[in-house]
Structures are given as C-alpha cells and as structure tokens.
Amino acid sequence: MTYSVFFCDYCEDKVLESNDAKESSLEEILHSMDCVLHMPRNFFGIIDEENNTLQFMVNEDKMILLDIPIESKGGSYSGVFRLEDCMLIVKKTEDIPSLIERLDLEFQLWG
C-alpha cells in the first residue's frame, strides 16, 4: 500500500500541509514520526491510497493522541498512546480502518 504524509513541527518551524502530502516509505514514515512527535502540539499525519487518514498529535504531557477522522460521521476515533506504541502501530498496520476495532478507539463528534 502507498502512503503519503503531512506534518507540523513547531520546534523546527516546518509544515507540510495535507493537500501537499508527500509519498513516503514505511521507513521514512517511522523516521519522521520519531523526529516530529516530541514537542507538544506537533502533529504528523498519514494518508493511505483510499484517502483514509491516521493522525498523531503530541499532548502537553508528551503522550500522543492517535486520531482517525471519519468525515461521513462528523467525528473521529481516537486514543492516547506513547510514541513507541504509535510507531509500532504504524509498523504493523496494513490498513487504517482496521485500527478502530483493533485498538478499541473511542468515537467523538466534532464541535
């Protein structure tokens, strides 16, 4: 499967918008996650070839919010994990939608 990434790194003052997402290998994705996901509010997103999105944002306590937005439902499935766990999740994921059940993520409406 092909993936593209986008991110915002406030520490390095670098942004790659989701509409400019860059195709990346699994190895590049894991390296980028490890670089970006350390400072609170930094985020990193992965888009698969079916346009499913998996997003990560660093909370103030340095835990990572994992978020799968579902536009048709007007909300997101989410959970909080350590960076190491997020990287392992990405490494072992074959498709983004399967994570919702596998990780027992909770649904929250937007707004």
Side-chain angles (χ1 to χ4, degrees):
M1 186 166 281
T2 304
Y3 297 100
S4 297
V5 301
F6 60 96
F7 63 88
C8 183
D9 185 339
Y10 291 103
C11 185
E12 296 290 325
D13 199 27
K14 293 181 181 177
V15 176
L16 180 61
E17 300 285 342
S18 60
N19 55 345
D20 294 322
K22 179 183 138 200
E23 192 172 306
S24 299
S25 68
L26 178 59
E27 193 172 285
E28 291 168 324
I29 290 170
L30 295 171
H31 175 75
S32 295
M33 287 177 70
D34 194 33
C35 290
V36 172
L37 295 175
H38 289 283
M39 182 175 173
R41 298 182 328 151
N42 277 6
F43 66 86
F44 187 86
I46 302 168
I47 304 169
D48 70 15
E49 54 196 25
E50 294 175 14
N51 214 29
N52 296 302
T53 302
L54 174 60
Q55 304 176 132
F56 303 91
M57 185 182 81
V58 183
N59 293 328
E60 291 298 321
D61 63 2
K62 304 249 177 128
M63 293 293 285
I64 310 291
L65 174 68
L66 180 151
D67 182 81
I68 301 173
I70 308 293
E71 195 168 332
S72 64
K73 290 186 171 188
S76 294
Y77 288 92
S78 60
V80 178
F81 300 89
R82 296 176 311 141
L83 175 58
E84 299 79 15
D85 296 328
C86 291
M87 292 175 68
L88 190 59
I89 289 166
V90 168
K91 193 174 187 178
K92 293 186 172 195
T93 296
E94 293 191 21
D95 69 294
I96 292 171
S98 70
L99 292 175
I100 294 168
E101 195 171 302
R102 189 168 60 116
L103 299 175
D104 196 28
L105 301 176
E106 292 186 28
F107 184 75
Q108 301 221 342
L109 287 172
W110 298 326

